[in-house]
Amino acid sequence: MVRSIEKSIYASRTVSLLMLLAVLLASCSSENEDISLASQKDEFEEVQEEPIVITNPKITEFTFLSADNEGLIADIVGTLDEDNKKIYVALNSFMLSIEELIPTITVSSGATVSPKSKVVQDFNNEVTYTVTAGDGTTVIYTILPTIKSYICSANLQESGPIIVSEDNQKIENLYIKTSSQHGIEINNYSGVVISNCIIEYTGAYMGIKFSNADNLTIKNSYIKYTNAPVAGPLADFTSNCIEGLESQNLVITNVKVEDGSTGIRLNQCDDSELTYIEGHNMRGPYPRGQFVQYDKCIGGLLENFSVINDREVAWTEDNISIYKSAGQQIKKGLIIGNNSPTGVGILFEDQNTEGARGGFGGAVEDVDFLEMGNGVVSSVEGSKNVTFTRIRAKEIICGELGQGRGIPTSNSLIFAAFGTAENTGNNKIIDCLVYNSCNPTNIVWPENNFEVIDYRDDIDFEPRAPIVLNFYCLSDD
């Protein structure tokens, strides 16, 4: 802990002052008798230095106390990375309401912090705190939450499939198995909350299917298609983990999807918020195979996500498809594995065709891509005004993509913007990295549809860590 330190110089100088005054009083001549003691004291005070104050504002401890946070059985102490001004905290969303946590923040002596200690904060995403020293010096710390969910069948009540029957219905703490209908189905009811559930489904059904279900929340849940083949596509493309139609203001958070035709498919679902989504092995077949697909949606956030596809198991198309949609913000993600000869990592497509909604544009930032073949990011076929910021890609594939699906049809292009009138795309590539591409002459095409092209190809990087939502019993720790 750094403290503000005042170095005192008064003691030694006070002794010297008294001695000197005594000498002067004893030996002064008559011509100096008019010099007063007060004026001599003032002279010595003028040469005294101001106290030295050392300042270095810091957060010295960041803690969630069990006494302040309901559901917390032991204090959580953040891990401090002082060099990078980052603090890591592991939060269990099964036990805590991470949208309303109260931190206790200890700072260096004489410093203040904003927001203040003991103030409720939402820790679903990164949070910043500013520490200010007495002299006004400031330092910003970023709190990086790792969200984990601890649930499994032993914690949950076994259940068959459920059809929602009223507004604001809560479906929670269930282990749902189904082979004869959708795991959970919602039609024309709003405010439904699905939480702390495991859903295992199979056949030509879906894990969760909803329509006209505004303000739906799905959280802390694991949806898995069972009985998938060891490798390759499902029997048909209708077996999505989650599918929604014409439902506004969705919140899907701390959710794991696995082995479905598509992980999350949204059709005419505006202003959705998807955070902390973990995906594995999307199975198709075409036209499915996406981790997330927006179809005729306006806006929406996908933040803090990862999808890992084993190219010898999965059957992918575009990993994230933004089709006839605009305004989506795709942030802080990791995409590994695409074995489609025509699919890309993130695709903006057909923003100007019949049925498209939302106009033009969108953004992708801080997303890492590995084992892509046909493309990394694209704004094509009438789409434009898309910004790609801090995209990082490596381990690009030029040869066989897996399972005999062939080779990339684009010759392993990285950034694409074709299908829009020349010089009208207005797309941007900002501060991106492409490392060790298998086709280094095929990075951007066509260049005239990018307003800004800013990337480097000579820097390696360590990929972002995947999202890990551990659905297991507390007793198994």
Side-chain angles (χ1 to χ4, degrees), residues 87-136:
I87 298 175
Y88 299 88
V89 291
L91 303 177
N92 181 352
S93 59
F94 183 65
M95 295 190 301
L96 290 170
S97 176
I98 58 178
E99 300 86 2
E100 299 178 335
L101 290 181
I102 299 174
T104 297
I105 307 168
T106 305
V107 298
S108 51
S109 178
T112 60
V113 62
S114 178
K116 294 181 179 179
S117 178
K118 301 288 190 180
V119 172
V120 174
Q121 185 67 264
D122 183 352
F123 285 91
N124 265 305
N125 297 293
E126 296 177 5
V127 179
T128 59
Y129 284 86
T130 301
V131 185
T132 304
D135 66 349

Side-chain angles (χ1 to χ4, degrees), residues 199-215:
I199 302 173
E200 295 181 354
Y201 71 104
T202 191
Y205 299 100
M206 301 189 191
I208 300 174
K209 181 176 174 61
F210 58 90
S211 64
N212 296 299
D214 294 350
N215 303 309

